[in-house]
Amino acid sequence: MSTPQVVVHRDGDLLAAAAAARLVTRMVDAQAARGHASVVLTGGRTGTAVLEHLNRNAARDAVDWSRVDLFWGDERFLPSGHPDRNETQARAALLDHVPLDPSRVHVMEPSDGKFGDDPEAAAAAYADVLASLARPEDHSDVPTFDVCLLGVGEEGHVASVFPDSPAVHEEERTVVAVRNCPKPPPTRVSLTLSSVRRAQEVWLMTTGEAKAAAVAMALTGAGEVQLPAAGATGQRRTLWLLDTAASSKVPALFTPPLA
Ligand SMILES: O=C(O)[C@H](O)[C@@H](O)[C@H](O)[C@H](O)COP(=O)(O)O
């Protein structure tokens, strides 16, 4: 488990632009080292803004998009193409604009997909996909993602893992269905925290005063059941990318000068 690092940017737009530049570099380095790059995408405004900035980044095509594996940390369980689906928003922001290998874009099934309106079946199927892609050196039923991107909710959720929810208590499964989610829409499919922690690097990216309390709690010792973001750690790196407002309640000890 890696000690959290904090980087603070002046505002949300600069955070998204800087995170996009950081992600391009991380993907290029992963491909140089191992021939491919694997990234877990997140929904939410910040996660989508990062993809939009990445699409506009001059270095975008330094990435060999044909050798990128994309996953989702969670997905809203809605019909394919629904504007609120994380996949829909990611495709508009970036995926439809780069030459990805479609077989390496691992979508969580929609509610009108092969499993119909059965989020448990969709979750189990995604767990099977992850297990099929895990290699012996991963020592897990989940591949070792290079980067897992996460947004953070006001009460500290990441992906669709909410405080004191069945998902945060899950110890066996790698992907779960989430019902009665406090953040609409109510039904989702989500990685569990143990799956998030298989990533080499976990980047928690959030902005605004409303997130400041959750960010401060996560960085000053809250437990993951109460504050799931506290349990979102990477094997090698846990990086909190914040704007000034979201960092405003973090004790000075943890926050470096503005980037
Ligand atoms: O599907 C989702 O809603 C996201 O995966 C969710 O975890 C999101 O990242 C956070 O709620 C933060 O969202 P914002 O970045 O919009 O604040």
Side-chain angles (χ1 to χ4, degrees):
M1 186 174 106
S2 48
T3 305
Q5 294 173 285
V6 177
V7 175
V8 180
H9 293 291
R10 182 185 62 229
D11 58 45
D13 194 55
L14 181 58
L15 184 159
R22 183 186 294 272
L23 184 57
V24 168
T25 302
R26 185 73 188 81
M27 294 172 78
V28 169
D29 286 353
Q31 291 185 332
R34 290 192 326 287
H36 57 87
S38 64
V39 177
V40 181
L41 303 180
T42 180
R45 290 159 301 172
T46 304
T48 303
V50 171
L51 299 185
E52 289 166 349
H53 275 282
L54 204 166
N55 187 43
R56 298 199 297 267
N57 188 298
R60 182 193 75 178
D61 294 334
V63 175
D64 177 348
W65 292 98
S66 70
R67 291 184 292 125
V68 171
D69 290 298
L70 291 180
F71 303 84
W72 274 266
D74 72 336
E75 183 58 275
R76 292 94 178 267
F77 196 62
L78 295 164
S80 182
H82 191 288
D84 290 349
R85 266 180 65 83
N86 294 334
E87 175 201 1
T88 307
Q89 296 178 19
R91 287 192 185 282
L94 174 66
L95 278 52
D96 287 351
H97 309 289
V98 288
L100 290 156
D101 175 348
S103 70
R104 302 181 77 156
V105 179
H106 306 288
V107 170
M108 290 174 165
E109 283 293 317
S111 61
D112 60 351
K114 63 175 82 165
F115 303 106
D117 195 18
D118 181 347
E120 281 79 11
Y126 205 74
D128 290 346
V129 168
L130 295 178
S132 71
L133 294 169
R135 297 155 305 169
E137 59 269 30
D138 294 322
H139 304 294
S140 168
D141 282 340
V142 176
T144 303
F145 311 115
D146 290 298
V147 181
C148 179
L149 302 175
L150 292 171
V152 181
E154 294 180 16
E155 77 301 285
H157 78 261
V158 289
S160 291
V161 181
F162 282 75
D164 203 16
S165 63
V168 82
H169 290 287
E170 176 62 44
E171 295 190 348
E172 299 297 323
R173 291 174 292 172
T174 57
V175 186
V176 292
V178 174
R179 295 179 181 274
N180 307 312
C181 184
K183 176 180 180 182
T187 308
R188 292 147 169 262
V189 175
S190 181
L191 298 189
T192 58
L193 288 178
S194 62
S195 297
V196 165
R197 289 192 282 258
R198 298 305 308 158
Q200 289 285 356
E201 300 193 14
V202 170
W203 300 1
L204 298 104
M205 316 176 298
T206 199
T207 66
E209 192 72 37
K211 309 297 181 73
V215 171
M217 288 175 68
L219 287 171
T220 53
E224 68 183 38
V225 171
Q226 177 195 15
L227 217 290
T233 57
Q235 295 188 50
R236 281 214 337 255
R237 191 181 200 192
T238 304
L239 184 58
W240 286 78
L241 300 174
L242 307 171
D243 72 348
T244 307
S247 71
S248 59
K249 293 188 168 75
V250 177
L253 177 68
F254 291 86
T255 46
L258 268 189

